[in-house]
Amino acid sequence: MSAISKVFLMLLRQNKSNLDSNEIMLGAKATFPLIVGAIPFGILFGTLAAPSGLSVAATIAMSVFVFAGSAQFISLGLLAAGAPLEVIVATTFVVNLRHALYAANLVPHVRKLSQKWRIAIGFGLTDETFAAVTSRMVEGDIKDFRSLYLGSWLAMYGNWILCTIIGILLGELIPDMTQWGLDFAMVVTFIGMVAPHLIPRKNAHAQMISASACWIAVLVAAVVSVLAADMPNKLGLMAAALAGLTSGMLFVRFYKPAASSKSIAADNPDLKANNQGANNG
């Protein structure tokens, strides 16, 4: 069990009476559709590990300690190619830089939490958990952020380790699973994460602006990802993410009439929380 997992379990025991079991279940429930898409991805990682030169123990340890799907896949490819350790670490760092953008969005919600909770939340930050938690944040009826996040984290973490083990077993029984195209499931999962943010949940001005900004961010990121596909060390991924994020933020900043900014923030709890965080900072 990783040190971070022990920290999470310790926090769970210490805060058991303060955690909201209903929010924990809601966090797991909101993450479940994304878990379905991640299952083939996790199994595929388990099947690829042995041909890439990783032992069974090292494969499971990577899922337990690293817990970063895309970075783990890239590490396997680099290991198979005989890349030096510093290249693997640097490439993994660049691929996971997008998590810095996720973390910046969550700052207003973790600002008052203890250092142990922040470390544990940082370790549990994945694309799926961020998507599930932010979706609930937009709905604006979160009673306990820690409980919601914990439910999503536990669901994703348990699923990833279990699927890794299943993949290891299937890889020994069924050869050439890598030819089945299971990796496409992750592409579908990412599309599923983004799609709900492109449709306003209600006919409100703030929701329309938010959806429009997401559309612009998606289109800009898509164009930049194609143009920057040849950048070394997967830097094109980060360039596309930054370009999409910047374009979306600029649209919100310059389109939103100054006079209605307060009403827009009141309609959008997520935006309101970010504004409060910025003001407090």
Side-chain angles (χ1 to χ4, degrees):
M1 182 180 296
S2 69
I4 297 297
S5 301
K6 291 181 179 178
V7 170
F8 241 128
L9 292 177
M10 181 185 67
L11 290 170
L12 183 61
R13 286 194 293 269
Q14 291 178 349
N15 298 274
K16 186 176 181 180
S17 59
N18 297 324
L19 292 172
D20 189 324
S21 59
N22 186 50
E23 284 290 342
I24 293 176
M25 292 303 298
L26 288 175
K29 183 179 178 181
T31 312
F32 179 76
L34 304 175
I35 287 178
V36 173
I39 286 175
F41 202 56
I43 293 175
L44 189 60
F45 170 73
T47 63
L48 287 173
S52 300
L54 275 185
S55 65
V56 172
T59 304
I60 296 175
M62 183 179 279
S63 286
V64 171
F65 291 100
V66 179
F67 185 41
S70 56
Q72 290 180 227
F73 271 90
I74 291 172
S75 298
L76 286 183
L78 292 174
L79 283 172
L85 179 62
E86 55 269 24
V87 172
I88 296 175
V89 173
T91 304
T92 302
F93 175 76
V94 171
V95 170
N96 283 333
L97 270 179
R98 69 187 187 282
H99 289 186
L101 304 177
Y102 298 162
N105 189 276
L106 296 178
V107 165
H109 300 274
V110 303
R111 189 188 300 277
K112 296 182 180 179
L113 296 181
S114 67
Q115 189 68 18
K116 291 180 180 177
W117 266 108
R118 294 184 198 178
I119 293 173
I121 286 174
F123 176 75
L125 185 57
T126 62
D127 300 298
E128 291 82 0
T129 291
F130 177 77
V133 170
T134 51
S135 293
R136 290 274 295 132
M137 286 161 54
V138 170
E139 293 172 1
D141 58 348
I142 299 176
K143 296 179 180 177
D144 183 15
F145 176 82
R146 298 171 308 164
S147 301
L148 178 73
Y149 195 97
L150 184 65
S152 177
W153 182 85
L154 290 176
M156 275 305 301
Y157 192 55
N159 170 73
W160 184 249
I161 296 173
L162 177 62
C163 288
T164 298
I165 296 173
I166 293 174
I168 293 171
L169 298 174
L170 289 179
E172 295 178 353
L173 297 174
I174 307 174
D176 297 329
M177 282 190 66
T178 56
Q179 306 301 319
W180 291 12
L182 295 177
D183 51 334
F184 183 72
M186 204 60 195
V187 178
V188 176
T189 301
F190 275 96
I191 293 174
M193 291 182 202
V194 175
H197 297 281
L198 303 177
I199 304 172
R201 287 179 171 79
K202 54 185 179 181
N203 189 21
H205 186 61
Q207 291 284 333
M208 295 297 294
I209 292 179
S210 176
S212 299
C214 288
W215 270 106
I216 291 174
V218 167
L219 294 175
V220 170
V223 172
V224 174
S225 67
V226 173
L227 297 177
D230 294 332
M231 291 182 69
N233 299 322
K234 303 293 182 182
L235 283 172
L237 174 66
M238 195 61 197
L242 287 174
L245 179 66
T246 303
S247 60
M249 291 180 64
L250 289 175
F251 173 81
V252 172
R253 177 174 291 275
F254 291 107
Y255 179 81
K256 182 177 62 179
S260 61
S261 59
K262 292 184 178 180
S263 62
I264 291 173
D267 286 344
N268 189 335
D270 187 31
L271 184 60
K272 183 180 179 182
N274 287 333
N275 290 339
Q276 288 176 343
N279 293 334
N280 292 335

